[in-house]
Amino acid sequence: MVKFSKELEAQLIPEWKEAFVNYCLLKKQIKKIKISRKPKPASLYPIAHHPYCGLSLFQPVRNLARTFSDKLFSSSETPEILELFSEEDEVVKVFFARLDEELNKVNQFHKSKETEFVGRGENLKKQLDILAELKQILSDRKKRNLSGSNSHRSFNSSARNSDFSAGQSFFKTLKGCHLYYLSYAVPIRNHKRSPGELSETQSETSRTDEIIEALERNGVNFINSATRTKTKGGKPKMSLRVDIPDAVAGADGGGARSIATATSVLWEELVNNPRSGGGDFITRKKIQCAEKMIRKAFVELYRGLGLLKTYSSLNMIAFTKILKKFDKVSGQQASSSYLKVVKRSQFTSSDKVVRLMDEVESIFTKHFANSDRKKAMKFLRPHQQKDSHMVTFFVGLFTGCFVSLFSIYIILAHLSGIFTSGAQVSYMETVYPVFSVFALLSLHMFMYGCNLFMWKSTRINYTFIFEFSPTTALRYRDAFLMGTTFMTAVVGAMVIHLILRAAGFSANQVDTIPGVLLLIFICVLICPFDAFYRPTRFCFIRILRNIVCSPFYKVLMVDFFMADQLTSQIPLLRHLESTACYFMAQSFRTHEYNTCKNGRIYRELAYLISFSPYFWRAMQCIRRWWDESNTDHLVNMGKYVSAMVAAGVRITYARESTNLWLTAVLVSSVVATLYQLYWDFVKDWGLLNPKSKNPWLRDDLVLKNKNFYYFSIAVNLVLRVAWIETIVRFRVNHVQSHLLDFLLASLEVIRRGHWNFYRVENEHLNNVGHFRAVKAVPLPFRDMDSDD
């Protein structure tokens, strides 16, 4: 039978761990009570009576604790329990004092989270009301457009009155919020207008001006209203911020009614009035985008409510278990009295969470699932995929195949003299880089599988950190399966390639095998069918797109995490360059591998490829600084700029081995390495804190053994200075040079996988420190006060 302490540790929400009842601490207090109940052996020698004889040095502290506990229990409901015990039983008093503290902590946390989620729910209902109003406006406009060809110029009175009522309803929805954005641009026709149309446009513009002036006289402020400009075609263009004062928004007199009427007219002019030429503020696409955001926010709210419900039930069980243990040790039936106090507490007696969950279910079913409850619950309660034994079986199968094929390849390579004979230079220059690409990818996938396994074992919520879907998130068994399958296919292709070469087949045919393997990989990656982990593949492609276009996309955790992986795969990118040139120049037919190597464009592209991952990462830092106004991102950008300089200098030194470039390599590489080491240890890992309770680490550690952290610091330091090899050059011949380059590239991939665990661990601990267990989803209709 599993102990409840381990069961609680396995089921609690990791980000809320500190807010749960400290079950282990209360168990220790019960053990102290059990020890105090044991009869003490009689002393062999009598002790002389003296007022200070036998007193401990800590007796004053105990007296102070007794005074504090007496004051604490004087205002609580536990004195009736303490009456069952002697007045001198201080251990029991300390136990109940601890119990009261834990109960207080649980109540306060539950109350704060309950208030937060209830506030989210109210805000989401307002957002849903606004969305319904906008849908209605869009629907009315569509019906009006279909009513006749003259609807673009004039409206009948009934249609106008219905639009006014829609605008009033929309205003009433917004009235509870203080500030909202209202942006519009009045479009014009592209063709030449008739005099009647021009006068109509001018009258509409003047009418809008009159409405704005009327609103300003009634207390509604428009920012940038004085800078209304026109485009070259004469189109008015303005972005307004509507500031509705609290006194005006909350009034029930004629002022509020007049503003509501004027606002409805403004809404009619800016939104409902359909004009040819496009540019309407409300479009079906924007409505769908807003609906998607609100739906996602409802899903996150429901998830948070479910977590809070689990929090309540687990704490209730913990209090029940600990009180039963107390009864067993003390020999008294005191749990029933204190359990009444627990059941009357806020975290158990409040039903707001359950009622809000039911309300969210009904709202989501009605508005986002077409009244299909089964469909709605698939969104609200997604079932996580269970681990399959077949996956484990195939991982073992492909691992065995890989080991066998790799042994065969080593034997065949030795017999053919590929790694020893100078005549096999073409093999190392053409075929080997292609296989190196797949080998490095497989190694990286294996390291990612190790990361997933460690994150799961240490209860690091990586799916929440990376914002992965629970139903499609890659598990460590899946990562191992992909890595072993990949490596088995690659080594199998290498074995077939050597066998066909030894059998005397034409080199033009045999050397196309690496190209075919690369083509198969690309086809599997972009395959549109629901096979071969399509959600993971498409997510990977989408992240790569965000990285390449990093200044133009909002940077998420998974985006810059993946960009950091690319900075460790620069050798792989260089191999891809040589592979692409090899097949595009058809060198596999002529076997002239120097065609690409000696080309000027090829040599210049080496700089671009080496710079690209660092450049993308630097652009991400700029974008994050722009979004968050945090100067730390600019400092982080300097790290990648220094790495770009060091990489460029090392490439130049490999071509021009002069003392000047050697000095430049030493200076740039040392600066970049120190920069990177500081950021690794202090910023990304949160270590090297001299004031930490764990010497030179951090206060909170996921791994219990501190030696792992000291060992990891040393390993990261050693692997970060692998660039020294470019200066010393431990190379004997051409073949060994390629093998050494592959070894160093593999060590960098291993270092990155090692770095990944502590980077995500630090992010997880930051979430735990702020009790972040639910994502904050941005909403389409924002209160301007929340943006400041």
Side-chain angles (χ1 to χ4, degrees):
M1 183 177 178
V2 181
K3 292 184 178 180
F4 177 74
S5 57
K6 294 184 179 179
E7 185 179 347
L8 178 65
E9 184 72 21
Q11 295 184 11
L12 58 78
I13 297 99
E15 291 80 6
W16 295 352
K17 183 177 180 180
E18 296 300 323
F20 275 82
V21 57
N22 197 333
Y23 188 79
C24 294
L25 177 64
L26 295 176
K27 277 182 65 177
K28 290 179 181 179
Q29 293 295 328
I30 289 179
K31 287 181 180 180
K32 291 181 180 179
I33 296 174
K34 186 176 182 180
I35 294 173
S36 67
R37 288 289 184 272
K38 292 182 179 180
K40 298 179 181 179
S43 179
L44 297 178
Y45 302 99
I47 301 176
H49 179 72
H50 191 274
Y52 296 102
C53 182
L55 291 179
S56 171
L57 293 174
F58 296 99
Q59 190 62 33
V61 180
R62 292 172 180 167
N63 293 336
L64 182 61
R66 184 190 294 114
T67 304
F68 171 76
S69 61
D70 290 342
K71 291 182 178 179
L72 179 66
F73 287 117
S74 63
S75 59
S76 66
E77 301 185 40
T78 53
E80 58 186 53
I81 302 175
L82 294 178
E83 290 177 358
L84 300 173
F85 306 95
S86 61
E87 296 180 357
E88 297 180 357
D89 203 340
E90 298 179 8
V91 185
V92 175
K93 288 187 176 182
V94 172
F95 168 74
F96 278 102
R98 293 282 189 185
L99 200 61
D100 278 354
E101 289 177 4
E102 295 299 317
L103 182 60
N104 228 2
K105 178 182 72 175
V106 172
N107 276 327
Q108 292 296 328
F109 181 80
H110 186 275
K111 185 178 180 180
S112 64
K113 285 298 176 182
E114 185 182 70
T115 304
E116 175 188 341
F117 290 140
V118 169
R120 280 195 186 189
E122 293 297 327
N123 192 17
L124 282 177
K125 285 189 283 186
K126 292 179 182 179
Q127 297 275 323
L128 201 59
D129 291 340
I130 298 173
L131 182 66
E133 291 287 347
L134 295 180
K135 282 184 175 180
Q136 185 63 39
I137 291 172
L138 192 65
S139 177
D140 293 343
R141 189 178 67 183
K142 184 178 180 180
K143 292 178 181 178
R144 195 167 57 242
N145 290 339
L146 296 175
S147 62
S149 59
N150 295 328
S151 60
H152 290 281
R153 296 186 180 181
S154 62
F155 305 96
N156 55 40
S157 59
S158 60
R160 185 175 295 276
N161 291 333
S162 65
D163 289 339
F164 284 176
S165 62
Q168 290 175 359
S169 176
F170 178 79
F171 173 77
K172 291 175 182 177
T173 306
L174 289 181
K175 207 166 65 172
C177 302
H178 184 54
L179 292 170
Y180 271 85
Y181 272 119
L182 176 61
S183 302
Y184 77 97
V186 182
I188 61 171
R189 292 188 178 93
N190 296 326
H191 60 274
K192 187 176 181 181
R193 291 178 178 267
S194 63
E197 290 177 332
L198 290 175
S199 61
E200 182 183 353
T201 303
Q202 293 173 357
S203 63
E204 289 173 350
T205 304
S206 61
R207 184 184 180 189
T208 303
D209 293 335
E210 293 175 0
I211 295 169
I212 292 175
E213 293 175 0
L215 289 174
E216 288 178 341
R217 287 195 300 268
N218 285 276
V220 180
N221 299 325
F222 291 87
I223 310 303
N224 297 332
S225 60
T227 59
R228 296 184 65 195
T229 58
K230 294 183 178 181
T231 61
K232 294 181 179 180
K235 178 176 65 176
K237 182 176 65 174
M238 178 175 61
S239 179
L240 303 181
R241 188 176 73 183
V242 184
D243 184 356
I244 304 173
D246 293 334
V248 177
D252 295 327
R257 287 194 297 271
S258 63
I259 292 179
T261 305
T263 306
S264 66
V265 176
L266 181 63
W267 188 252
E268 161 69 19
E269 290 298 317
L270 305 184
V271 180
N272 293 334
N273 194 3
R275 298 176 175 89
S276 60
D280 292 331
F281 179 73
I282 296 180
T283 61
R284 183 176 298 276
K285 184 177 181 181
K286 291 183 179 181
I287 291 292
Q288 291 175 351
C289 181
E291 185 175 11
K292 185 177 180 181
M293 295 170 70
I294 296 174
R295 182 184 65 186
K296 188 176 180 181
F298 268 110
V299 172
E300 285 300 314
L301 173 62
Y302 191 84
R303 178 175 173 270
L305 293 171
L307 293 178
L308 194 57
K309 187 178 179 181
T310 303
Y311 174 83
S312 301
S313 60
L314 287 177
N315 279 295
M316 184 63 198
I317 296 172
F319 279 114
T320 304
K321 292 280 187 181
I322 206 68
L323 287 170
K324 286 183 178 180
K325 288 181 179 292
F326 175 78
D327 285 350
K328 185 177 180 181
V329 170
S330 64
Q332 300 287 343
Q333 296 298 321
S335 63
S336 58
S337 299
Y338 200 90
L339 273 178
K340 293 178 181 178
V341 180
V342 176
K343 290 178 180 179
R344 289 196 299 267
S345 299
Q346 197 272 346
F347 81 97
T348 54
S349 61
S350 177
D351 62 342
K352 291 182 181 179
V353 172
V354 177
R355 286 192 286 109
L356 186 56
M357 287 185 72
D358 294 338
E359 189 175 1
V360 170
E361 289 179 6
S362 61
I363 290 175
F364 197 91
T365 303
K366 179 182 178 182
H367 293 277
F368 302 106
N370 296 325
S371 300
D372 187 350
R373 180 175 175 80
K374 186 176 181 181
K375 180 181 178 181
M377 299 315 294
K378 285 183 179 179
F379 282 98
L380 296 175
R381 297 178 185 173
H383 296 286
Q384 295 187 359
Q385 297 179 355
K386 296 181 179 180
D387 293 332
S388 174
H389 295 291
M390 292 298 294
V391 175
T392 306
F393 168 76
F394 280 111
V395 169
L397 176 64
F398 285 123
T399 301
C401 293
F402 164 70
V403 173
S404 302
L405 289 173
F406 188 72
S407 302
I408 295 173
Y409 174 76
I410 294 297
I411 295 173
L412 291 176
H414 177 71
L415 293 176
S416 60
I418 286 178
F419 297 133
T420 57
S421 175
Q424 301 294 341
V425 174
S426 61
Y427 179 84
M428 299 301 298
E429 291 288 345
T430 57
V431 178
Y432 207 72
V434 184
F435 291 135
S436 297
V437 169
F438 294 110
L440 291 174
L441 278 177
S442 302
L443 179 61
H444 214 133
M445 182 60 67
F446 175 77
M447 293 302 300
Y448 183 63
C450 294
N451 291 147
L452 295 177
F453 175 77
M454 289 299 299
W455 292 332
K456 182 180 180 181
S457 301
T458 54
R459 288 184 57 78
I460 293 176
N461 196 355
Y462 65 92
T463 56
F464 171 71
I465 293 173
F466 293 130
E467 299 185 14
F468 290 154
S469 172
T471 57
T472 58
L474 201 66
R475 296 161 297 177
Y476 72 91
R477 287 187 178 90
D478 299 320
F480 286 148
L481 177 61
M482 294 172 65
T484 53
T485 304
F486 210 35
M487 275 308 302
T488 302
V490 172
V491 178
M494 295 170 70
V495 170
I496 294 174
H497 183 268
L498 287 182
I499 291 176
L500 293 179
R501 282 171 61 98
F505 281 83
S506 172
N508 296 339
Q509 299 174 353
V510 174
D511 287 348
T512 58
I513 291 178
V516 172
L517 186 64
L518 182 62
L519 184 62
I520 292 174
F521 168 75
I522 295 175
C523 291
V524 171
L525 181 63
I526 63 176
C527 177
F529 301 108
D530 192 5
F532 308 111
Y533 299 96
R534 185 181 69 171
T536 302
R537 290 188 285 108
F538 281 19
C539 179
F540 175 73
I541 295 173
R542 184 172 61 254
I543 292 171
L544 287 181
R545 178 206 64 187
N546 295 346
I547 292 173
V548 174
C549 306
S550 53
F552 308 107
Y553 286 93
K554 184 177 178 62
V555 182
L556 303 177
M557 171 73 182
V558 67
D559 296 331
F560 67 77
F561 186 83
M562 180 61 72
D564 280 325
Q565 311 304 306
L566 291 180
T567 59
S568 294
Q569 287 287 15
I570 292 177
L572 181 148
L573 298 177
R574 294 286 305 277
H575 288 325
L576 280 178
E577 177 197 12
S578 61
T579 301
C581 182
Y582 175 69
F583 287 103
M584 291 176 66
Q586 296 187 356
S587 298
F588 63 93
R589 296 182 183 274
T590 61
H591 299 282
E592 293 292 336
Y593 61 89
N594 287 325
T595 301
C596 293
K597 191 174 181 180
N598 296 330
R600 185 181 63 84
I601 297 178
Y602 177 85
R603 298 174 64 183
E604 298 300 327
L605 280 177
Y607 289 96
L608 178 63
I609 292 174
S610 300
F611 290 167
S612 294
Y614 299 118
F615 174 77
W616 294 330
R617 191 65 185 88
M619 291 299 101
Q620 286 181 335
C621 293
I622 293 177
R623 177 59 191 262
R624 293 189 70 190
W625 167 75
W626 180 266
D627 292 337
E628 304 172 17
S629 300
N630 188 350
T631 55
D632 283 348
H633 298 308
L634 293 180
V635 181
N636 193 18
M637 181 195 69
K639 180 186 70 172
Y640 296 104
V641 172
S642 66
M644 290 173 61
V645 173
V649 171
R650 284 198 289 266
I651 293 175
T652 306
Y653 175 69
R655 298 171 181 175
E656 302 177 19
S657 301
T658 62
N659 293 331
L660 177 61
W661 284 111
L662 175 61
T663 304
V665 167
L666 286 173
V667 173
S668 61
S669 297
V670 167
V671 171
T673 302
L674 293 177
Y675 209 151
Q676 292 165 350
L677 287 174
Y678 167 78
W679 209 267
D680 284 347
F681 299 146
V682 179
K683 296 295 185 178
D684 291 337
W685 292 4
L687 303 178
L688 298 185
N689 183 6
K691 299 180 180 179
S692 172
K693 63 182 181 182
N694 301 308
W696 292 100
L697 299 178
R698 63 170 107 86
D699 291 336
D700 298 321
L701 301 174
V702 171
L703 301 178
K704 295 180 179 179
N705 193 342
K706 302 176 186 177
N707 293 327
F708 285 118
Y709 294 91
Y710 297 117
F711 175 76
S712 299
I713 291 174
V715 169
N716 191 72
L717 173 63
V718 172
L719 295 181
R720 274 290 190 188
V721 297
W723 54 267
I724 295 178
E725 189 275 334
T726 60
I727 300 175
V728 180
R729 295 188 177 181
F730 299 106
R731 305 165 191 261
V732 179
N733 56 43
H734 194 76
V735 173
Q736 291 180 355
S737 176
H738 279 280
L739 293 178
L740 186 57
D741 288 339
F742 176 76
L743 175 62
L744 293 176
S746 301
L747 290 177
E748 173 59 21
V749 172
I750 293 173
R751 187 202 66 81
R752 179 59 62 181
H754 179 252
W755 176 90
N756 288 343
F757 173 79
Y758 296 102
R759 176 65 182 88
V760 177
E761 177 206 19
N762 191 34
E763 187 72 20
H764 170 76
L765 291 175
N766 290 332
N767 289 336
V768 170
H770 295 87
F771 301 105
R772 289 193 293 257
V774 181
K775 289 183 289 188
V777 180
L779 298 175
F781 313 108
R782 292 174 295 175
D783 187 346
M784 286 301 299
D785 286 341
S786 63
D787 294 339
D788 296 336

